[in-house]
Amino acid sequence: MSKVAFPLIVLAGSAIVLSACGNEEFDLSEQYGPDPVLPEASTGLLPDLKVAEVIGWSDGETPTVPDGLVVTAYAKDLANPRTVHTLPNGDVLVVQSKAPPGKPLNRPKDFIRGWIMSMAAGGGGGGGKDTNLITLLRDTDRDGTVDERSDLLTDLTSPFGVAWYDGTLYVAAADAILSYPYELGQTAIDAEPTVLTPLPGGPINHHWTKDLAVSPDGRFLYASVGSNSNAGERGIEAEKGRAAIWQVDRTTGASRVFASGLRNPNGLNLHPETGELWTVVNERDELGPNLVPDYLTSVQENGFYGWPWSYYGQHVDERVMPRRPDLVETAIAPDYALTSHVAALGLAFTNGSAMPEPFANGAFVGNRGSWNRSVFNGYKVIYIPFENGRPAGMPQDVVTGFLENEKVHGRPVGLAIDGTGALLIADDTGNTVWRVAAADGSVTPEPIPTDRIAETQPETLPAQPGTAAPAGTASEPAPAEPASDAPATEPSQTDIAPAVGPEDGAAAETGSSQ
């Protein structure tokens, strides 16, 4: 199957700026909300590209917050903090990780993109400190200051998402969901993990971050799995089980695709009022500086959100061949656009928190920052007001200062509400977790955990066997099967997600990007 690689021209130096067409005139305010302005696609030889120099934070420097809020460093000297997660007792887990090694580079584009993204990471290397670990932070007197710090787990395989329920800690590594026996209050885990279910992994694993959330009844885990390419250019076989959110039975490990067509979903979170699953999604690149908007959306069961054949509903990506009008016709438009290339990765709902009234009913979104524009976008945490469980109005910049004079101090990624009701921000380039609290010192009566599980639980969790569907499809769980004394067999990683494309010698049957 013939393909034309997406061309990139790279100029060496301390800063990289390439521009195919200006984007200074575009009004970004027109690209927030449920009906964003979508300009014509641009696929010229020179894509808009700009990567900032990373300078980190000097002593005493912090991000900027508006009146009524105060920001402090909750934990420093971390190594690539990606996500933060609050347990029911108020302890906070900080997941630190770097991309797994060994990703094959088959085309000139792959080498160039890798170099660009390494520059974008900049000082996020953790200063030589060990990463791929989970650190526990404990604020014993709930005064907003960490009193105890310990490494709970080490030597993990590029972890990202975590969840806890009923004496078990779940960790989403780059290639599997692992489970560990863990009681609240422990400061170390010595037990060996159990593989709850494999997840699509290498050798490509283009979008390697996998996030987790627990269903309101505690029965299922939701796991996000990003695509293996920008827009399907490796062939659809490389996308098997990817660009999707999985539903995994927490007891049996049986899994299926819950929703698909989501290029790179992260920030999985259940809305506290409705129980609906929400996510933020990084959309595709190289269609121009103002395409395609990243977005925040509720996730419909069996829903298809377009990738790679269409974007923001039913807008066809002309690069992707062969066409799939049957799938495009079913593509769901997201709830809320966040503007283009902001790299939205973190999501935290504020209901019940100790944040001031203007931030009491809505969502914080962490935008790590752009590279596919000649004018920077993102590099901040925004707040989106909600009404009746839905976004309602324009966003507000809340935590800024990560980008200053076109140089990067840090990049906000994962978000959580801590044990006192304040906002926590994982800054993976500044190697810091920031805490944003009400200036008047307000705290919640009790900790609010990241996983908000309903009080009434089912007495048993019946088995629900199923298999993961390819990207672009979704299937109902298979009927429960009779119990068997035979040991359960785990499908091989390649049966779940054969991460190979035509360039690796395996011809894809459908879905290649021109």
Side-chain angles (χ1 to χ4, degrees), residues 27-28 60 62 79 90 99 101 103 106 170 184 197 203 253 258 290 314 318 375 415 480 496 505:
D27 183 358
L28 285 175
T62 69
K103 177 180 174 179
N106 303 98
Y170 300 94
L184 298 177
T197 185
F258 182 79
N290 300 304
Q314 300 175 11
E318 302 291 346
V375 176
L415 308 178
I496 293 175

Side-chain angles (χ1 to χ4, degrees), residues 17 34 40 47 59-60 81 105 111 127 169 172 196 203 207 244 265 304 318 363 377 403 421 444:
V17 181
E40 291 295 320
D59 290 343
L105 302 175
F111 288 94
L169 181 69
L196 179 65
H207 289 121
F304 173 65
E318 302 291 346
N377 195 19
L403 179 73
T444 56

Side-chain angles (χ1 to χ4, degrees), residues 26-285:
F26 188 81
D27 183 358
L28 285 175
S29 68
E30 297 181 342
Q31 216 169 51
Y32 283 112
D35 188 25
V37 172
L38 302 176
E40 291 295 320
S42 172
T43 56
L45 293 178
L46 290 177
D48 288 77
L49 184 152
K50 189 172 186 178
V51 179
E53 178 186 356
V54 177
I55 59 174
W57 300 97
S58 299
D59 290 343
E61 289 183 330
T62 69
T64 302
V65 296
D67 292 342
L69 299 175
V70 61
V71 58
T72 56
Y74 195 68
K76 301 177 72 174
D77 300 319
L78 298 164
N80 318 103
R82 309 286 185 169
T83 56
V84 278
H85 188 97
T86 302
L87 296 171
N89 66 345
D91 287 350
V92 172
L93 303 182
V94 183
V95 181
Q96 301 154 78
S97 58
K98 61 182 178 181
K103 177 180 174 179
L105 302 175
N106 303 98
R107 302 157 297 170
K109 171 187 170 180
D110 296 330
F111 288 94
I112 296 167
R113 181 186 292 274
W115 183 63
I116 292 168
M117 300 317 292
S118 68
M119 288 194 65
K129 295 173 65 69
D130 289 338
T131 187
N132 290 332
L133 72 159
I134 298 177
T135 298
L136 183 145
L137 306 175
R138 178 168 294 161
D139 175 6
T140 55
D141 53 7
R142 305 185 76 234
D143 67 349
T145 302
V146 173
D147 303 303
E148 300 176 20
R149 172 171 165 170
S150 56
D151 291 338
L152 193 67
L153 289 167
T154 59
D155 299 321
L156 298 170
T157 303
S158 301
F160 192 82
V162 291
W164 183 89
Y165 180 70
D166 195 22
T168 303
L169 181 69
Y170 300 94
V171 178
D175 55 3
I177 300 176
L178 309 176
S179 66
Y180 297 84
Y182 177 74
E183 297 299 329
L184 298 177
Q186 287 181 237
T187 57
I189 295 177
D190 299 321
E192 292 297 315
T194 298
V195 176
L196 179 65
T197 185
L199 293 173
I204 298 172
N205 216 2
H206 178 67
H207 289 121
W208 57 272
T209 56
K210 275 89 173 171
D211 209 354
L212 285 181
V214 184
S215 66
D217 62 2
R219 176 178 176 180
F220 296 110
L221 295 175
Y222 298 105
S224 64
V225 183
S227 68
N228 237 347
S229 61
N230 177 44
E233 64 269 17
R234 297 183 188 275
I236 205 63
E237 189 65 17
E239 306 297 344
K240 188 175 182 181
R242 303 191 71 114
I245 293 173
W246 288 31
Q247 184 187 63
V248 181
D249 189 290
R250 192 180 55 78
T251 302
T252 67
S255 58
R256 69 177 182 113
V257 167
F258 182 79
S260 60
L262 300 147
R263 179 178 175 269
N264 187 23
N266 281 287
L268 298 188
N269 224 302
L270 278 296
H271 192 276
E273 293 178 348
T274 67
E276 285 184 302
L277 179 65
W278 287 73
T279 186
V280 287
V281 177
N282 288 191
E283 252 292 356
R284 68 204 74 196
D285 300 316

Side-chain angles (χ1 to χ4, degrees), residues 292-305:
V292 173
D294 296 341
Y295 58 84
L296 164 72
T297 193
S298 58
V299 183
Q300 297 183 28
E301 184 172 3
N302 298 322
F304 173 65
Y305 290 81

